[in-house]
Amino acid sequence: MENIFNPIKSRFKEPLIKNMCEYNELMDKFKGDYEGTWASFADEKIDWFKKYDTILDESNAPFYKWFTGGQMNVAHQCVDRHLDTKKNKAAIIFEGDNGDQQILTYRELAYEVNKTANMFKNKFDVKKGDRVVVYMPMIPEAAVVMLACAKIGAIHSIVFGGFSAEALRDRIIDAEAKLVVTADGAFRKGKPYMLKPVVDKALEEGCECVSKVCIVERNGEDIEWVAGRDYSYNELVKTESSVCAAEPMDSEDPLFLLYTSGSTGKPKGVQHSSAGYILWAQMTMEWVFDIQDNDTYWCTADIGWITGHTYIVYGPLAAGATTVMFEGVPTFPDAGRCWRMVEEYKINQFYTAPTAIRLLHKTGAHEPSKYDLSSLRILGTVGEPIDPPAWKWYYEEVGGSQCSIVDTYWQTETGGHMISPLPAATPIKPACATFPLPGIMAEIIEEDGTPVEIGEKGFMCVTKPWPSMIRTIWNDGERFKKSYFGDCKKDGQPVYFTGDGAMMSEDGYITITGRTDDVINVSGHRMGTAEVEAAVKKHDNVASVAVVGKPHEIKGEGIFAYVVLKSVPSNHNDQTADEFEVMKEINNIIKTEIGAIALCDDIAFVPDLPKTRSGKIMRRILRSIVKGEAITQDTSTLEDPSIVGKIEEIVNR
Ligand code: PRX
């Protein structure tokens, strides 16, 4: 029999959704009056400057609009509106890699946001609608910069600090950013690392849109200053006023862009709205993390990813919570770092990726027992499937079998959680995302909208628009339609397809089975095979390449490349050494083009790729080979059927 874990009720005082009856009632309410129920939450949660006229505008589907005619401001929602009741409450607790600590109360955060917002306006001429690219480490100033953009209506586009200069440049150009905000660098595993030189390199060509760079001092290392372009944040912000009125923003005004990988082409700039996004960020924070006034909440993500946006900055602050920001890595200086922090800050909700859980399990299985972790009430996971052994360790060793685990399924495009247990209500099955959250019409269907049979795999779709959904791909509405509304229909109408497969058990539990497209999930980070392949092809000696995901003990999936070389190394006596050299060169190119997160774990040099007669690469065969699975596909239609055996031999030797 399957294990089911019921919430430990004594750990919860006043959860918003107390049991499955309440969950079902709320879901029924949405089903009975979808728009009206969303409106009642928007009325309750958002501090509107001007009330909206229309709840949902579907006239230009799939470019849905929510709460049109309404005005509000996300920075006001996250900071200013709390000042009456929480001005002295900690908004952000920061812990540096080196153990530095800093606490910003809501009042201090408001001051910093206002000063920074004024600096953006006065010193950098940033106006409503301008794009600001943020390339920063995990320091409080990063959150301040995000909120300062929101305060004046500028659209931020955060680029993860692990991306290379090339990747940063692509994103700057696509967003036509006016300003780049960065830091000299930061600290990682006890050592300084640099960010500003990467910005310098990115701006070397093609970024004429950027006139200024604003640099926060973090690690104090020497950097080059370009006169007339580079300015010190720390110097400029000093003289700014700490009073700044919030720009009234229309509900649909973009709050931010965040680039993410698709199955084809370059990364796409996912555009999120102001009102709908923040509403769901706040609601899920309250429902899924059961945020209570005295809680201290910690999400270990980086602000460069959507999890950092919604569940380090916007969600927690909109909910008036105390959010922990951590600059370092979970295993430095030792595998007890996280648990020491949980004990010290009395963390109530801990939210991380399965990759981190597997790593902490492997490197310090018994570390949790050395600390007092009794403050924990909810443990969260995000970004990739969690495997049952990791789940068990998390539940038993970290949670002491007393915490609810919320396996949250969602995406950059969904803005916030879609499918997740409710911690005080949902009986949990290990490694299962369980049920759609109230208001989310998630359905597992076939392409034509037919619901799939119990236990069968289908397409994970959301069949009604919801407030925090992606609005478009920046500058590319057609790609938006094609990427998300091109595959599945219900009642003849295109519906949002996540790109994931899923299945449902007899009792309605949803398990995500993984991507159905060519996106690889490395350590919970999305990597497009097309992007990696484009980088590999830049190597002079590469004739063709196909990249697939290979199961990886810690990272979930690693990147595996099949490469056909133009000329096979001449010295056949030492072919392996030559191939090793080429592999190093290829990975150097990937590092330059994308960043270290996209490095290939392994490369197989093969004589050719399995192609159909029309030239299409049969990736499914390549995926099966790397997983050691039997080839079930019909290989007789291949241009050269014998290639499969040859590749298998190379991979397995
Ligand atoms: O495949 C799903 C996987 O991560 C993808 C979204 O990646 P990204 O946009 O980078 O956002 C990650 C953080 C929300 C999804 O299409 N994924 C996300 N959460 C889960 C998951 N797979 C299984 N279980 C999850 N809980």
Side-chain angles (χ1 to χ4, degrees):
M1 212 192 86
E2 255 177 322
N3 286 335
I4 294 215
F5 295 79
N6 285 305
I8 311 285
K9 298 279 181 189
S10 58
R11 290 247 158 162
F12 296 91
K13 288 202 188 90
E14 282 179 76
L16 285 176
I17 302 175
K18 295 183 192 59
N19 50 51
M20 288 313 277
C21 272
E22 289 191 5
Y23 165 79
N24 287 323
E25 274 169 25
L26 195 47
M27 206 48 159
D28 287 345
K29 210 169 150 204
F30 272 106
K31 284 182 183 157
D33 178 11
Y34 190 66
E35 293 180 30
T37 308
W38 277 116
S40 67
F41 282 109
D43 296 347
E44 181 196 329
K45 307 282 179 194
I46 292 189
D47 196 1
W48 294 100
F49 296 168
K50 175 172 169 280
K51 174 109 195 247
Y52 52 89
D53 315 309
T54 309
I55 305 168
L56 170 61
D57 175 357
E58 300 185 271
S59 59
N60 190 23
F63 299 93
Y64 297 103
K65 293 181 179 166
W66 283 87
F67 313 119
T68 50
Q71 287 194 325
M72 43 79 72
N73 180 287
V74 168
H76 170 85
Q77 180 76 12
C78 290
V79 187
D80 301 357
R81 80 183 174 105
H82 298 310
L83 295 180
D84 279 350
T85 52
K86 304 181 198 294
K87 64 179 184 296
N88 293 321
K89 173 175 174 170
I92 297 176
I93 297 179
F94 168 72
E95 176 154 320
D97 180 71
N98 55 5
D100 278 358
Q101 289 178 339
Q102 191 189 342
I103 296 177
L104 279 177
T105 62
Y106 273 92
R107 183 181 57 81
E108 288 163 333
L109 179 61
Y111 284 7
E112 295 304 323
V113 169
N114 289 347
K115 285 172 149 207
T116 306
N118 285 327
M119 176 190 71
F120 284 163
K121 282 197 290 195
N122 300 333
K123 307 281 183 10
F124 298 107
D125 193 31
V126 176
K127 298 196 172 65
K128 181 175 173 178
D130 284 343
R131 274 79 58 208
V132 174
V133 161
V134 180
Y135 189 67
M136 284 182 77
M138 284 291 294
I139 54 177
E141 287 85 347
V144 169
V145 164
M146 292 165 79
L147 292 160
C149 286
K151 188 107 198 211
I152 61 174
I155 304 168
H156 61 70
S157 172
I158 305 187
V159 179
F160 172 58
F163 279 120
S164 69
E166 295 286 333
L168 175 60
R169 177 186 302 144
D170 283 349
R171 288 156 174 79
I172 290 173
I173 294 173
D174 191 77
E176 290 172 272
K178 180 173 203 171
L179 172 70
V180 176
V181 187
T182 187
D184 44 7
F187 297 97
R188 194 168 189 275
K189 294 191 188 171
K191 295 194 190 85
Y193 71 90
M194 302 307 288
L195 289 170
K196 168 67 166 52
V198 185
V199 174
D200 290 336
K201 187 145 190 274
L203 295 182
E204 269 171 14
E205 55 182 88
C207 297
E208 289 76 24
C209 49
V210 174
S211 53
K212 302 271 175 7
V213 177
C214 176
I215 302 132
V216 179
E217 188 181 317
R218 167 63 186 146
N219 66 14
E221 296 288 308
D222 280 344
I223 51 170
E224 284 184 18
W225 294 83
V226 176
R229 190 196 72 183
D230 296 350
Y231 294 87
S232 159
Y233 173 96
N234 308 66
E235 283 304 315
L236 292 189
V237 86
K238 270 189 208 156
T239 51
E240 291 294 344
S241 152
S242 58
V243 179
C244 176
E247 182 76 29
M249 301 298 286
D250 289 343
S251 298
E252 281 295 319
D253 279 335
L255 177 65
F256 65 83
L257 309 179
L258 183 56
Y259 284 80
T260 190
S261 297
S263 46
T264 55
K266 291 206 167 187
K268 31 196 186 183
V270 171
Q271 179 180 320
H272 277 291
S273 70
S274 296
Y277 169 80
I278 203 67
L279 174 64
W280 191 235
Q282 185 177 330
M283 285 171 69
T284 47
M285 206 55 219
E286 294 168 353
W287 283 349
V288 176
F289 292 121
D290 181 45
I291 279 290
Q292 302 291 327
D293 201 34
N294 194 35
D295 282 349
T296 306
Y297 159 92
W298 180 20
C299 164
T300 69
D302 187 284
I303 44 133
W305 308 107
I306 190 69
T307 309
H309 283 61
T310 310
Y311 296 111
I312 294 179
V313 180
Y314 287 121
L317 298 177
T322 300
T323 180
V324 173
M325 268 183 101
F326 175 49
E327 178 188 40
V329 297
T331 48
F332 178 81
D334 56 62
R337 178 73 181 258
C338 292
W339 318 129
R340 209 154 42 240
M341 283 177 65
V342 168
E343 177 179 288
E344 183 171 348
Y345 298 114
K346 302 210 179 312
I347 303 286
N348 305 97
Q349 296 88 354
F350 179 73
Y351 190 31
T352 196
T355 292
I357 298 168
R358 288 188 288 263
L359 184 66
L360 290 168
H361 181 192
K362 191 167 175 208
T363 53
H366 303 295
E367 283 296 316
S369 61
K370 297 182 188 162
Y371 301 89
D372 176 5
L373 306 182
S374 59
S375 58
L376 288 170
R377 183 162 85 250
I378 294 165
L379 299 172
T381 79
V382 56
E384 50 178 327
I386 179 163
D387 44 295
W391 194 96
K392 189 167 179 282
W393 179 78
Y394 202 30
Y395 186 79
E396 290 174 357
E397 294 295 322
V398 180
S401 304
Q402 297 292 306
C403 297
S404 293
I405 294 191
V406 288
D407 179 349
T408 61
Y409 167 75
W410 59 296
Q411 308 178 294
T412 305
E413 293 86 344
T414 67
H417 301 147
M418 292 275 103
I419 303 177
S420 169
L422 292 161
T426 314
I428 295 169
K429 289 188 188 179
C432 174
T434 72
F435 305 108
L437 290 172
I440 301 304
M441 301 302 155
E443 292 182 56
I444 309 170
I445 55 177
E446 301 195 19
E447 280 167 358
D448 63 358
T450 323
V452 293
E453 303 281 324
I454 298 297
E456 295 291 319
K457 268 194 204 174
F459 296 107
M460 189 71 250
C461 290
V462 188
T463 54
K464 268 182 184 292
W466 69 102
S468 72
M469 70 192 292
I470 173 176
R471 292 306 193 262
T472 187
I473 291 173
W474 180 253
N475 268 335
D476 204 345
E478 276 312 305
R479 191 172 176 201
F480 164 71
K481 281 205 263 186
K482 207 164 149 251
S483 304
Y484 305 106
F485 292 88
D487 295 291
C488 299
K489 288 190 170 160
K490 193 183 168 192
D491 302 326
Q493 294 301 315
V495 292
Y496 178 87
F497 172 44
T498 57
D500 286 303
M503 50 191 193
M504 192 183 276
S505 66
E506 237 160 48
D507 42 4
Y509 280 74
I510 295 175
T511 300
I512 304 296
T513 54
R515 302 288 307 189
T516 61
D517 54 13
D518 292 325
V519 169
I520 306 178
N521 193 325
V522 185
S523 307
H525 301 141
R526 245 158 95 170
M527 211 36 71
T529 46
E531 272 168 81
V532 184
E533 287 168 6
V536 177
K537 276 187 199 144
K538 294 212 162 162
H539 190 284
D540 288 342
N541 196 17
V542 170
S544 52
V545 53
V547 162
V548 297
K550 179 183 176 183
H552 186 283
E553 193 194 354
I554 301 291
K555 297 196 277 190
E557 274 188 305
I559 299 182
F560 187 97
Y562 293 90
V563 168
V564 184
L565 294 175
K566 285 181 190 157
S567 63
V568 181
S570 53
N571 177 4
H572 274 267
N573 295 332
D574 203 5
Q575 190 168 348
T576 346
D578 283 342
E579 286 176 350
F580 187 69
E581 245 345 273
V582 178
M583 178 164 169
K584 260 192 1 206
E585 288 163 11
I586 287 177
N587 267 337
N588 278 336
I589 297 176
I590 293 178
K591 214 168 166 181
T592 312
E593 293 291 314
I594 307 174
I597 44 170
L599 291 182
C600 291
D601 290 293
D602 212 346
I603 298 182
F605 293 95
V606 294
D608 202 353
L609 298 172
K611 284 189 223 122
T612 60
R613 286 191 193 102
S614 59
K616 192 171 175 290
I617 298 171
M618 294 283 285
R619 285 166 189 284
R620 250 201 275 153
I621 295 182
L622 294 172
R623 278 197 284 262
S624 299
I625 294 177
V626 92
K627 286 186 187 157
E629 292 169 355
I631 311 284
T632 53
Q633 295 84 7
D634 177 12
T635 53
S636 65
T637 55
L638 293 179
E639 200 181 53
D640 170 15
S642 74
I643 195 68
V644 176
K646 290 180 197 156
I647 297 177
E648 273 183 310
E649 200 180 303
I650 292 169
V651 171
N652 298 327
R653 82 174 163 217

